[in-house]
Amino acid sequence: MTAYIFIFIGAVFVNNIVLAQFLGICPFLGISRKIETAAGMSGAVAFVMTVSTIITFIIRRAALEPLGIGFLQTIVFILIIAALVQMAEIVLKKISPALYHSLGVFLPLITTNCTILGVVIMVIQRDFNLLESVAFAVSTAIGFGLALTLFAGLREQLSMVRLPKGMEGVPIALITAGLLAMAFMGFSGIV
């Protein structure tokens, strides 16, 4: 049980996938203008990340390793992630058309979101079992969602403030992201 608590705290706060490891910066900066959109993206990423971790873990252990073709893992993992993103896109289009349209081009970009592939590869590097892999994927998704939602909230607040002309838009977003990353650095040393 303690190992899972360490995995959770480490993935959400200490080694946050966006703010400490700088994976997934494109959706972090691109989709974080509204909290609702950020929450929707977080849910989609969480679904794809968790399911892809389970499927790739099983395929790696059941097929790639026994057949001696582990060198194909990256290609296989990308194909699995792409298929899951297509499935998530179809489900979102049916369930929540408004969220589907607000995510726009960033929904298909989950396929190339390096956080998902990064988590799948980190699970292998850390030699997690299936349960630890799922805990790590869910915790990382929560950390991604936390960072994205916090950043979206900060950007919504900043949109109501008068800023110097040269600081509007991307410059203040990058400064805010840097400050948020520094705030999360305060958690280092916990695990």
Side-chain angles (χ1 to χ4, degrees), residues 9-69:
I9 292 172
V12 174
F13 299 110
V14 179
N15 294 317
N16 186 286
I17 198 85
V18 178
L19 300 173
Q21 297 179 17
F22 306 113
L23 295 174
I25 297 295
C26 179
F28 179 71
L29 292 173
I31 207 76
S32 61
R33 288 190 176 90
K34 292 184 179 179
I35 292 176
E36 298 83 26
T37 310
M41 176 62 106
S42 299
V45 167
F47 169 76
V48 173
M49 189 177 293
T50 304
V51 175
S52 66
T53 300
I54 295 168
I55 293 172
T56 55
F57 183 90
I58 292 169
I59 287 177
R60 184 169 187 277
R61 293 282 170 99
L64 298 179
E65 285 178 356
L67 295 173
I69 54 173

Side-chain angles (χ1 to χ4, degrees), residues 69-147:
I69 54 173
F71 60 90
L72 292 175
Q73 74 182 13
T74 304
I75 295 168
V76 171
F77 293 171
I78 289 171
L79 292 173
I80 291 168
I81 292 167
L84 287 171
V85 168
Q86 288 299 318
M87 187 173 64
E89 192 172 356
I90 291 167
V91 169
L92 263 180
K93 194 173 188 178
K94 297 262 187 213
I95 293 175
S96 179
L99 179 60
Y100 173 79
H101 289 294
S102 68
L103 290 175
V105 71
F106 290 99
L107 187 58
L109 286 179
I110 293 175
T111 304
T112 58
N113 188 340
C114 54
T115 59
I116 296 168
L117 184 60
V119 166
V120 170
I121 291 173
M122 282 185 237
V123 162
I124 294 167
Q125 291 173 342
R126 296 177 183 184
D127 199 30
F128 286 150
N129 62 35
L130 182 59
L131 200 53
E132 290 170 335
S133 299
V134 172
F136 182 71
V138 169
S139 301
T140 303
I142 290 169
F144 178 81
L146 177 68

Side-chain angles (χ1 to χ4, degrees), residues 156-169 172:
E156 279 187 6
Q157 290 297 314
L158 284 170
S159 69
M160 295 185 268
V161 176
R162 268 189 77 198
L163 295 169
K165 188 83 168 146
M167 293 300 290
E168 292 175 355
I172 195 67

